[in-house]
Amino acid sequence: MNNKLFVGGLSWGTTDKELMEAFSPYGTVTEAKVIKERDSGRSRGFGFVTFDTEAEATAAAEALNDTELDGRSLRVDFAHDKR
DNA sequence: GTTGAGCGTT
């Protein structure tokens, strides 16, 4: 499953809904979430977006990578199984 | 009330 996308460079106020709104038009988003502090709930500034297919994920990554969202430079790439 | 490369939780 290579449809997981790592999304970084998000603003502190950006949420999972914003990611969904930004990645939905590029394909079917099965999972869109912004990672936040588990203890305080503050945004970590990055998130994960999973598409229905790898082709959609690639298209979205190439489309939104190095672009701008919420006033911040977006950094989209394929997610790893943990670094 | 802060920060700015990275890779999550159920």
Side-chain angles (χ1 to χ4, degrees), chain A residues 7 10-23 32-36 43 46-49 69-70:
Chain A
V7 185
L10 299 177
S11 178
W12 311 117
T14 307
T15 176
D16 47 11
K17 181 183 178 181
E18 295 297 306
L19 285 181
M20 177 64 90
E21 295 284 327
F23 285 78
K33 174 143 250 183
V34 178
I35 309 306
K36 353 181 196 55
S43 178
F46 75 94
F48 286 94
V49 179
L69 182 67
D70 198 52

Side-chain angles (χ1 to χ4, degrees), chain A residues 22-83:
Chain A
F23 285 78
S24 285
Y26 297 98
T28 305
V29 181
T30 57
E31 186 71 71
K33 174 143 250 183
V34 178
I35 309 306
K36 353 181 196 55
E37 292 286 346
R38 230 264 289 135
D39 296 332
S40 56
R42 289 178 191 170
S43 178
R44 283 191 177 177
F46 75 94
F48 286 94
V49 179
T50 310
F51 278 87
D52 191 33
T53 65
E54 180 185 335
E56 295 174 334
T58 307
E62 291 298 305
L64 295 175
N65 185 26
D66 210 50
T67 57
E68 186 182 287
L69 182 67
D70 198 52
R72 292 301 168 186
S73 182
L74 226 59
R75 167 185 176 134
V76 185
D77 204 353
F78 285 94
H80 305 222
D81 259 339
K82 275 192 190 171
R83 191 171 163 99

